[in-house]
Amino acid sequence: QVQVAESGGGMVPAGGSLRLSCKVSGSDFNTATLAWFRQAPGKEREFVTSNRRSGETIYYADSVKGRFTMSRNNAENAMYLQMNSLKPEDTAVYYCAANRRLILSSLRQPSQYAYWGRGTQVTVSS
């Protein structure tokens, strides 16, 4: 059974940084498509970043490009999201998601991911 678990959320002032972690167990981590999504109150879950395999392109939402960096460590079955220059509009619950290899056109769609963590709250104060 695949299990996904995030950690590292918290509250920071605008301009601050946070690093989120995600552990994935029970799957072939090396070939799994991994992603971060976020959901703010009253809004739909939105794509943040995704990667299909180490060494392949990492895709970012325009709203976080240049500020957020996704990385993965296959030896630790872990994925990370380094968030810099945080803004109040980044406030949301952040979710880690995993699935078998997805086609490129599916990467940004939450419905395409079978495995999800419970989420971790990120709050950015103005």
Side-chain angles (χ1 to χ4, degrees):
Q1 183 176 358
V2 178
Q3 294 186 327
V4 180
E6 311 93 341
S7 61
M11 180 181 290
V12 294
S17 297
L18 277 175
R19 186 183 191 228
L20 305 183
S21 300
C22 173
K23 286 276 196 175
V24 181
S25 61
S27 73
D28 185 355
F29 184 86
N30 291 357
T31 60
T33 294
L34 304 176
W36 289 97
F37 288 82
R38 66 186 182 185
Q39 188 165 18
K43 295 188 176 181
E44 292 185 353
R45 193 164 297 189
E46 67 170 352
F47 171 80
V48 176
T49 180
S50 181
N51 171 251
R52 296 201 296 173
R53 189 184 186 121
S54 289
E56 293 191 9
T57 302
I58 300 174
Y59 299 92
Y60 295 94
D62 288 343
S63 58
V64 306
K65 205 171 291 183
R67 300 187 297 122
F68 290 12
T69 302
M70 178 199 190
S71 60
R72 58 194 289 171
N73 185 325
N74 289 342
E76 297 181 355
N77 281 17
M79 173 175 68
Y80 306 97
L81 183 65
Q82 178 66 43
M83 304 185 295
N84 298 328
S85 302
L86 282 161
K87 305 175 181 179
E89 51 263 43
D90 294 318
T91 295
V93 177
Y94 283 71
Y95 296 92
C96 176
N99 202 79
R100 292 179 183 174
R101 187 172 176 87
L102 293 175
I103 58 175
L104 290 178
S105 60
S106 296
L107 292 182
R108 298 171 185 254
Q109 301 173 34
S111 62
Q112 299 300 308
Y113 292 81
Y115 307 105
W116 291 85
R118 293 185 175 184
T120 185
Q121 177 71 45
V122 171
T123 302
V124 184
S125 59
S126 57

